[in-house]
C-alpha cells in the first residue's frame, strides 16, 4: 500500500470548499477548484449512474441538490452531466472529470456511498467503476466507505491504494434503515485489520468513544467529519490527525 503521510498533511474540504451563496454547491467543480486554490485536501462522494459510471454526488435522490426529484441511478451519465446543480451553472460531474481537475495537486478522499441499503454485501459495481476511473491516478489518494463490504471490494480492486472505513456511533436516529444488529456490529469498528485499513474517518461527535481511542493508540490514522467551526476543530484535534470541514476555513 502507498504511503499515507501526504494524505493527512492538510485539512480536507468536505465535498469541496462549497458555498452555495458563492455559486459553489457541494461536490461541484467550482467547490473542488476552490479547495485546490486554498490548498485544502478534497473529499468527494460517489453514486452510480444508470449506465454504471461513477458520478460525484452525495444523495441517492436528486431533489435537494438539483431541485428535481428522482434517483440518481435512473439516469445515464450523459443526462446527469446536463442536470444543473442548484446554485450553479454546471451539471453533475463524473469521477473522471474530477480526477482531471484535481490532477494530484492536493490529497483526494473518495467515498463510495453504500448501494446495499443496509450496509450488507450487495455491492461491487460502483467499486469496480471507481477502480476503473482511478486506475493510473498518480496523486495522493484514498478510498473509503461506511460499508465494510465496499472496503473489501476496494481492497481486491485497488490493493495499493490507501483505504479507510467511515465510522460513527451508528444511532437509530441517524441510520433508521440499518437493523440494530448490523448497527451494533458496525459500532465495534469491525474488520479494520482484515481490510488493512490505513485510517478511519469518524464522526466528530463521537471521537471520545473507546473504539476510536484504541485505534489511535494502535497507530491508525484518525480523520474526522464533519467539523463546522474552529472551536470544534481545536477539540477534535486532541484525538484526530486531521479534520474534514465545511462552513468555515480550517
Amino acid at each position: 500500500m502507498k504511503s499515507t503521510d501526504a494524505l493527512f498533511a492538510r485539512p480536507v474540504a468536505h465535498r469541496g470548499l462549497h458555498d452555495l451563496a458563492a455559486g459553489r454547491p457541494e461536490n461541484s467543480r467550482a467547490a473542488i477548484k476552490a479547495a485546490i486554490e486554498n490548498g485544502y485536501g478534497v473529499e468527494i462522494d460517489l453514486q452510480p449512474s444508470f449506465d454504471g459510471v461513477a458520478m460525484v454526488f452525495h444523495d441517492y435522490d436528486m431533489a435537494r441538490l438539483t431541485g428535481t426529484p428522482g434517483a440518481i441511478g435512473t439516469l445515464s451519465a450523459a443526462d446527469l452531466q446536463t442536470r444543473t446543480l442548484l446554485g450553479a451553472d454546471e451539471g453533475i460531474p463524473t469521477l473522471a472529470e474530477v480526477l482531471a481537475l484535481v490532477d494530484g495537486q492536493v490529497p483526494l478522499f473518495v467515498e463510495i456511498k453504500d448501494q446495499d441499503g443496509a450496509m450488507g454485501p450487495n455491492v461491487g459495481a460502483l467499486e469496480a467503476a471507481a477502480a476503473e476511473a482511478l486506475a493510473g491516478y498518480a496523486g495522493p489518494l484514498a478510498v473509503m466507505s461506511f460499508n465494510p463490504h465496499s472496503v473489501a471490494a476496494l481492497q481486491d480492486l485497488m490493493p495499493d491504494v490507501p483505504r479507510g472505513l467511515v465510522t460513527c456511533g451508528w444511532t437509530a436516529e441517524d441510520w433508521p434503515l440499518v437493523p440494530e444488529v448490523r448497527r451494533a456490529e458496525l459500532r465495534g469498528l469491525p474488520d479494520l485489520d482484515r481490510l488493512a485499513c490505513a485510517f478511519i474517518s469518524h464522526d466528530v461527535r463521537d471521537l471520545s468513544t473507546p473504539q476510536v481511542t484504541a485505534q489511535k493508540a494502535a497507530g491508525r490514522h484518525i480523520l474526522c467529519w464533519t467539523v463546522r467551526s474552529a472551536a470544534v476543530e481545536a477539540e477534535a484535534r486532541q484525538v484526530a490527525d486531521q479534520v474534514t470541514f465545511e462552513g468555515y476555513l480550517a
Side-chain angles (χ1 to χ4, degrees), residues 37-106:
E37 290 168 358
N38 282 272
Y40 294 121
V42 174
E43 182 267 350
I44 59 172
D45 306 285
L46 297 187
Q47 294 278 10
S49 68
F50 178 76
D51 49 347
V53 176
M55 307 298 297
V56 179
F57 198 80
H58 178 271
D59 295 0
Y60 298 89
D61 189 90
M62 293 180 287
R64 180 177 69 90
L65 297 170
T66 70
T68 304
I72 185 170
T74 62
L75 295 181
S76 70
D79 287 337
L80 292 170
Q81 288 174 286
T82 64
R83 184 61 60 96
T84 304
L85 295 166
L86 289 174
D89 59 358
E90 60 175 276
I92 300 170
T94 65
L95 174 57
E97 288 179 275
V98 168
L99 294 176
L101 179 61
V102 178
D103 193 27
Q105 297 174 82
V106 297

Side-chain angles (χ1 to χ4, degrees), residues 4-18:
T4 58
D5 293 345
L7 288 169
F8 300 95
R10 59 186 88 188
V12 180
H14 188 232
R15 306 175 194 166
L17 194 61
H18 60 89

Side-chain angles (χ1 to χ4, degrees), residues 22-211:
R24 305 195 304 266
E26 63 183 62
N27 280 319
S28 66
R29 298 166 189 81
I32 293 164
K33 287 179 183 177
I36 296 168
E37 290 168 358
N38 282 272
Y40 294 121
V42 174
E43 182 267 350
I44 59 172
D45 306 285
L46 297 187
Q47 294 278 10
S49 68
F50 178 76
D51 49 347
V53 176
M55 307 298 297
V56 179
F57 198 80
H58 178 271
D59 295 0
Y60 298 89
D61 189 90
M62 293 180 287
R64 180 177 69 90
L65 297 170
T66 70
T68 304
I72 185 170
T74 62
L75 295 181
S76 70
D79 287 337
L80 292 170
Q81 288 174 286
T82 64
R83 184 61 60 96
T84 304
L85 295 166
L86 289 174
D89 59 358
E90 60 175 276
I92 300 170
T94 65
L95 174 57
E97 288 179 275
V98 168
L99 294 176
L101 179 61
V102 178
D103 193 27
Q105 297 174 82
V106 297
L108 180 63
F109 289 81
V110 178
E111 181 184 337
I112 308 293
K113 303 308 292 184
D114 176 48
Q115 301 301 306
D116 176 89
M119 303 296 159
N122 188 24
V123 298
L126 178 55
E127 292 79 1
E132 181 178 0
L134 291 166
Y137 184 76
L141 169 70
V143 291
M144 58 188 182
S145 180
F146 278 99
N147 189 337
H149 295 286
S150 291
V151 179
L154 295 167
Q155 182 181 28
D156 290 340
L157 291 160
M158 297 179 284
D160 294 332
V161 174
R163 54 195 166 272
L165 189 64
V166 188
T167 54
C168 61
W170 290 101
T171 65
E173 180 181 4
D174 289 339
W175 301 93
L177 300 181
V178 180
E180 168 55 25
V181 171
R182 182 58 174 152
R183 286 189 284 109
E185 292 173 348
L186 294 167
R187 215 172 282 133
L189 310 187
D191 301 321
L192 293 174
D193 291 332
R194 179 178 66 83
L195 298 173
C197 289
F199 66 97
I200 61 170
S201 180
H202 199 78
D203 186 345
V204 70
R205 301 170 297 176
D206 192 57
L207 282 176
S208 62
T209 187
Q211 290 93 329

